Each structure stands twice: as C-alpha cells, then as structure tokens.
Amino acid sequence: MTDVVGSRWWLVGVVALALALRIAHVLALRHTLWFDHLVVDPQFYDEWAQRIAGGEWLGGPGAFYMDPLYSYVLAVLYRVAGHDLLLARLLNVACSTGACALVARIGRRTGGAVAGGLAALGFALYEPEIFYVGEVDKTSLSILLAAAALALALGRSLPSRCAAGAATAAAALTRANFLLFVPLGAVAYLLDRDDRAARVGPLARSVAGAALFLAGAGLVLAPVAWRNHHVSGSWVVTTTQGGQNFYTGNNPTNPYGAYGVVPFVRPNPHFEEIDFRAAAESRVGHAMTPNEVSAFWFRESFAHIAEHPGFAALAFARKALLFWNDFEISDNQDQYLLERDSPVLRLPLLRFGLVAPFALLGAIALVPTSRTVRLLCGFVVAYWLSLVAFFLFSRYRLPVVVALMPLAALGVVEVARRLRERRGRFAAAAVLCVALGLCFVRIHLFWRDHPVTIEMRLRHLADMQAEVGDVDGAIATLKEAIAPCPPGCPWALADLFELYRRSGRNAEGAAWLRTFIATHPQQQDAPDYLRQLEAAGTAE
C-alpha cells in the first residue's frame, strides 16, 4: 500500500481528483444567485480588476488599502478573455490544483513519498479550500503562493532561497501578515547549522542564503512601495490598513476575536478606508496621511489594551482557541449555507478539526529529529500568532493548511507505525483525543448549529434574495431563520417585518404576525410590528 501512495501515479490521480471536485463545485453554483451577484470583498476585487483591465494600471489614487495582487492577476485575465466570472473561478481552480501539487512536494520533503501522497490527498479533500475556489477573492491565490514559498524555502539550493523570498513577498501582496515571514525567513537561514559551516566565496552559506531570500522579497515589494510613493507621497510597503485591522480585532466592542463591526465604520471595503480616516481625523482635528491613520488606530488599540487588560486578554485567548476550532467563521459567504447548493460540499470531506490533531501528533513525533518539521512548525506558530493579534475569518486561516497537511500526513504515518509495532498506541490516542476535544469544543456562538449563527446565515441569504427581486423566497428564508429561536433571534423578525412593509404586503404580514404572537407571546417586538402593519394596511 505504501508503494502505491508514494507513487507518481497516485499523485497524478490525487491532483486529478482535486481538479474534478473543484470544477464540480464551481459548476454547481453556476445557476444559483451567488454566481453573478457578488457582494462585499468579491464585488470590490472584481470592480477593481475591471478598472485595471480598462487602463487604470496604477490601480487608482492613493496608497493601496486592500491587498492588490489578486485584482491585478484578475485584471490580466479580464484583459485577455473579457469579464467572465466563470473564468475567474476557474482561475481559482487552477491555483488550488497547483497548491495541491506543491503540498505533495512539501510533504515529500518533510517525510518522504508516502507523506507527500497523503498530504496531497488531504488537501484535495479539504472542504474549506474547495469552498473558496467558488469565491471571487484572493484566497486560492494566497494559498498557492504560501505553498510555493514553503516548497521553495525547504529547498537547499541558493536560487531556491531567492525564489522563496519572492514567493513570500508575493504572498504578502495577497495577505499582509506574510510580511512577517520576510525577516523571519532571513533569520531562519542565518541560523541554519549546516549552512553556517559552509561557505560561498567570502560569505558563510547561511549569510548568502539570507541575503538572497531578502533580495528576492525586495524585487517583488520594491515596485509596490515605489507605486504607493508615486501616487500618495508616502512610503508604504504593501497596504495601509494594518492599524485599522488591529483596531477591528482589539477594541471595546469586540470581545470575541472574530470580525466585529466597528460602530463608526461601514462593513464594506468601499467605505472602510474612508470611515476609519474620517474618524481618526475627527479625533485629532487635522488631516492625516495613510501611514498616520494606520498608526493612530494602532495607538487607539494599545490604549484600549492598557486600559482594559482583562477584557483584551480574554479576547486574545478566544482568538487563540478559535484559530484551532473546527468551525469555519464566515466572511463574505458562508460555507455551511452553500452546502444547500453544492453537492460537493455535502460529501464527507476533510475539515480543520480532523487535520489539526494529526498535525500535532506528527509534529510531536518528529520535531526533535527533523529540521524540516521544525521549520513547518515555526511557520504554523508564527502564522497563528500573526492572525490572533488581529482578528479571524475562515479564509484568513486557510494558508496555514499547506503546512498542517504534511504534518498531519506524518501523524497518520506515525499512528500506522505505532499500531504496527504495538507500542506507544495509548500515548498517540491520548494526544489525538485531547486535540480533537479542543478542536470541537463549542465557543460561544461559534458552531454551525447555534440558533443565532443559523439566523445570521439565513438573513444573509434572505438579503440576497430580496436584492435580486425574489421577495417570496426572502420571506420564506426569514421565517426559517426565526423558527429555531423565536424569542432570542430578533433580527430576522425585524427584517421580515421590514420586508413585508417595504413590499406593500401589509395584510399578509399582519396575518402571519397574529399567528406568530399567539404561539410566541414572549417575543416583545412582534406586537409593535403588528400594529404598524395594521395601521399601514388601514391607510391603503
């Protein structure tokens, strides 16, 4: 069996499986309202790409606020093939399939051919990654670049180190927290024991490797920094939203660690920069540069942390645990909601809560003896901390999976070895059980069947249905959202009342509310909604 899993034909079959599942998922969405009706970030990136493809090659005025690389890649596609959202998603499929092959390479370099084959299979069957190829956003590209950076970083040649720096910097143009890995990568090369003993001309090989890594990163980042300075007068390496994002995750209104709407900021990338800047300038009383705005929100965040250390510590602890939780925190779209439309997502696929425990076991088994495993673990820990310092979304966590899958493959190999040798089985089982328990613990409303989470998910669907003119569908969806928790989920009821009122279906809404009040007298808002609909019906 190990000969099969480690063979070239296994890898070909696994990559083909990854490709087929992702294409099937995209095609399943093609006739749903999600396909052409983009919202929030996907809408922003798509519109930005169209402007770039139309000739705005500098990407607009001002320093970049959003990570730019995905929109530029999308713009090239639109310029060549025209604006086509199916092609945009197939581009994601290509990125995802390439990442699958790179994960196999990382696994092979970490634990041999069998580990590479298992890691690729795990990635091919990983549900959250399949879900995101259907989204017109940067996630699939970010994962591909993260996998490329790691695969190159594990190489021993000096050219691969320069390429690893370039790939890391490119990843930072899709997710700014990858900037952290530019200095960390250089330090890792400087500390490499084998390279410190070898020389390249007058330099220790470790110094040459670190210098080439930084040079590769500089070649990618320098044009972006020049562009930002050219259009804004400010030296900005990638984007100007660092302080704003830090404040979003560390402010008095966000005790949970996931994204929380800042009261004075509209939750849409079209308005976030404007609203954060306006609030900062209002507080200081003068105009500010992009760098000054970011620095201001960093200061506000640290002031909050210093003033409320207990609150901040609890929020940080929640974020630290949520990162490892099986629950996928939705952003623009909800993975669990799209299971209704995609048969692929309804398959028994692999999820985070099953990957992380085996990755932990693989790390524990091989960290003492394997430099490569230590590098992967260092990447995972640094990435984890770089996210929990800010705030969490499912798509923010996904790039770490390119390191977790090879570690999880090592964990599977380790379990098989212990079962075969009949020793250490109970210790491995204990590690897996504890890790599984932590991954599947329910944290506040962050689990898929929490009534409030269901309500939020269905309200999003109802908003989309109403926006495309399907009022009947939106009404039915809101009634479904209200059903699990009539007294404790007031937002869906408010949305339903507003939809009845706005669509002029006052009598129908009043009749439904009378029945609802009779069966749920404890709901305090319903009587007022009924009075308003009855009054509006009388006035007609």
Side-chain angles (χ1 to χ4, degrees), residues 181-192 196 206 210 213-214 375:
F181 294 97
V182 174
L184 287 181
V187 170
Y189 286 132
L190 285 173
L191 297 179
D192 188 289
R196 288 168 69 183
S206 60
F213 181 84
L214 292 174
L375 286 174

Side-chain angles (χ1 to χ4, degrees), residues 243-265 276 283 296-316 318-319 390:
Q244 294 90 318
N245 282 345
F246 192 69
Y247 184 82
T248 299
N250 301 276
N251 70 75
T253 66
N254 187 355
Y256 303 120
Y259 176 82
V261 176
V262 178
F264 51 82
V265 176
F276 268 117
R283 295 186 190 189
F296 173 85
W297 291 113
F298 270 120
R299 290 194 301 271
E300 290 291 293
S301 303
F302 287 122
H304 157 67
I305 292 169
E307 187 175 351
H308 304 284
F311 180 99
L314 186 58
F316 185 88
R318 285 192 178 116
K319 287 187 280 186
F390 291 80

Side-chain angles (χ1 to χ4, degrees), residues 21-363:
L21 287 173
R22 285 150 180 79
I23 290 177
H25 171 61
V26 168
L27 294 180
L29 300 180
R30 195 169 186 185
H31 300 294
T32 67
L33 59 84
W34 311 111
F35 200 84
D36 294 316
H37 193 77
L38 305 181
V39 294
V40 200
D41 290 59
Q43 180 188 48
F44 182 89
Y45 284 119
D46 176 65
E47 291 177 354
W48 191 8
Q50 290 184 67
R51 292 197 302 272
I52 295 170
E56 197 178 274
W57 289 106
L58 282 178
F64 289 133
Y65 183 76
M66 300 285 283
D67 300 311
L69 184 57
Y70 176 69
S71 283
Y72 275 88
V73 171
L74 202 57
V76 172
L77 177 67
Y78 288 169
R79 183 80 176 200
V80 171
H83 182 241
D84 188 326
L85 294 179
L86 175 61
L87 286 179
R89 290 175 168 92
L90 292 178
L91 173 66
N92 290 345
V93 170
C95 290
S96 176
T97 306
C100 183
L102 288 169
V103 166
R105 186 176 180 183
I106 297 167
R108 182 179 289 267
R109 287 185 168 176
T110 303
V114 172
L118 289 175
L121 179 61
F123 189 88
L125 298 175
Y126 190 58
E127 182 178 353
E129 206 281 331
I130 295 172
F131 162 72
Y132 274 103
V133 300
E135 293 293 285
V136 180
D137 74 6
K138 60 190 177 183
T139 305
S140 296
L141 177 61
S142 182
I143 293 169
L144 173 66
L145 292 170
L150 274 179
L152 290 165
L154 296 178
R156 301 300 298 176
S157 71
L158 291 177
S160 73
R161 301 190 173 186
C162 183
T168 302
L173 297 176
T174 63
R175 283 220 43 79
N177 62 320
F178 274 100
L179 279 175
L180 174 67
F181 294 97
V182 174
L184 287 181
V187 170
Y189 286 132
L190 285 173
L191 297 179
D192 188 289
R193 291 181 182 178
D194 295 336
D195 282 358
R196 288 168 69 183
R199 303 198 70 79
V200 178
L203 297 175
R205 198 171 190 274
S206 60
V207 174
L212 284 170
F213 181 84
L214 292 174
L219 285 173
V220 173
L221 295 177
V224 180
W226 173 87
R227 177 266 172 204
N228 283 337
H229 184 266
H230 177 72
V231 300
S232 73
S234 298
W235 286 107
V236 177
V237 177
T238 56
T239 64
T240 61
Q241 63 178 178
Q244 294 90 318
N245 282 345
F246 192 69
Y247 184 82
T248 299
N250 301 276
N251 70 75
T253 66
N254 187 355
Y256 303 120
Y259 176 82
V261 176
V262 178
F264 51 82
V265 176
R266 289 167 285 181
N268 188 302
H270 290 89
F271 310 114
E272 283 181 10
E273 181 180 14
I274 298 168
D275 292 349
F276 268 117
R277 176 189 291 274
E281 291 178 345
S282 174
R283 295 186 190 189
V284 300
H286 60 77
M288 304 171 75
T289 67
N291 284 335
E292 290 172 339
V293 173
S294 179
F296 173 85
W297 291 113
F298 270 120
R299 290 194 301 271
E300 290 291 293
S301 303
F302 287 122
H304 157 67
I305 292 169
E307 187 175 351
H308 304 284
F311 180 99
L314 186 58
F316 185 88
R318 285 192 178 116
K319 287 187 280 186
L321 288 174
L322 279 171
F323 181 94
W324 298 105
N325 197 269
D326 184 68
F327 181 72
E328 300 293 336
I329 302 173
S330 65
D331 183 3
N332 308 295
Q333 189 53 273
D334 189 284
Q335 172 184 315
Y336 308 112
L337 180 60
L338 257 69
E339 289 177 0
R340 296 180 171 213
D341 297 307
S342 172
V344 175
L345 297 184
R346 295 197 295 271
L347 294 172
L349 298 168
L350 202 57
R351 290 159 39 194
F352 190 89
L354 298 176
V355 174
F358 281 95
L360 175 62
L361 181 61

Side-chain angles (χ1 to χ4, degrees), residues 359-371:
L360 175 62
L361 181 61
I364 291 173
L366 292 173
V367 154
T369 59
S370 171
R371 168 188 173 272

